[in-house]
Every structure is written in C-alpha cells, then in structure tokens.
Amino acid sequence: NEINYSIAQFTIESGKKSKIHKITSSEIYYILEGRGNITIEGTTYLLEKDDSVFIQPNSEQFIKNTGKSNLKFLCIVEPAWKIENEEVLE
C-alpha cells in the first residue's frame, strides 16, 4: 500500500525502560496510560497520559516508566519502521 508510516503500541512495566537506541526515521510517542521519562540526546522530558513527543531521526533515545502502573504508548514512525534502520546502543 501507499502508507509511509508505521504505528505500534508498547507497554513498559513500572521501573523498566526501553533499550537505548536510535533509528533513521522520525518518531512520535503518544502516551495512552501512565507516566514516564523519555531521554532524547541526553535531555530528559516527563510524559504523562495524552502527552506526545517528536523524536528527530538518528536521535539517541530511551523511555523509562517512572510510575506505579504500566506505561502504555503508541509509537508512530515515518517513514515506516524497518529493523535495518534501527541501531540498539546497549
């Protein structure tokens, strides 16, 4: 099809974090439930339900659940995510 983006839903348990990574696409994280900190290129931002953040391509990043319940969020990637475009840094 002609869609040039991908969307995925993720859940991170309390106290856990994603791996430090970067991808060649731009991303938007949209928080569905919970709260957490996202660190992009060394700067940390607080995110809560209904917040969103734009992540520039090739930005080193990770997100951590700082709440007591699950952190659920959507990740919208443009152009669409491909495994060969992601580099895990840890």
Side-chain angles (χ1 to χ4, degrees):
N1 64 39
E2 307 252 345
I3 295 173
N4 195 31
Y5 66 89
S6 60
I7 186 168
Q9 180 177 319
F10 293 96
T11 300
I12 299 178
E13 296 174 351
S14 181
K16 304 286 184 179
K17 71 173 192 66
S18 66
K19 292 184 177 183
I20 301 169
H21 66 284
K22 62 182 178 177
I23 67 171
T24 60
S25 299
S26 63
E27 298 177 90
I28 295 174
Y29 284 13
Y30 179 82
I31 307 303
L32 299 170
E33 295 178 15
R35 65 182 288 147
N37 288 336
I38 188 163
T39 301
I40 305 167
E41 291 293 320
T43 302
T44 301
Y45 307 91
L46 171 66
L47 296 174
E48 298 179 309
K49 182 178 172 20
D50 295 327
D51 285 343
S52 62
V53 64
F54 176 78
I55 305 166
Q56 295 282 346
N58 298 306
S59 296
E60 187 174 306
Q61 59 173 296
F62 69 93
I63 188 167
K64 180 176 182 178
N65 183 341
T66 58
K68 295 184 181 188
S69 61
N70 284 342
L71 173 63
K72 293 184 180 183
F73 61 97
L74 298 176
C75 180
I76 303 157
V77 180
E78 197 278 322
W81 181 87
K82 294 180 184 174
I83 194 165
E84 61 267 20
N85 294 339
E86 182 170 11
E87 179 181 0
V88 177
L89 302 171
E90 65 175 317

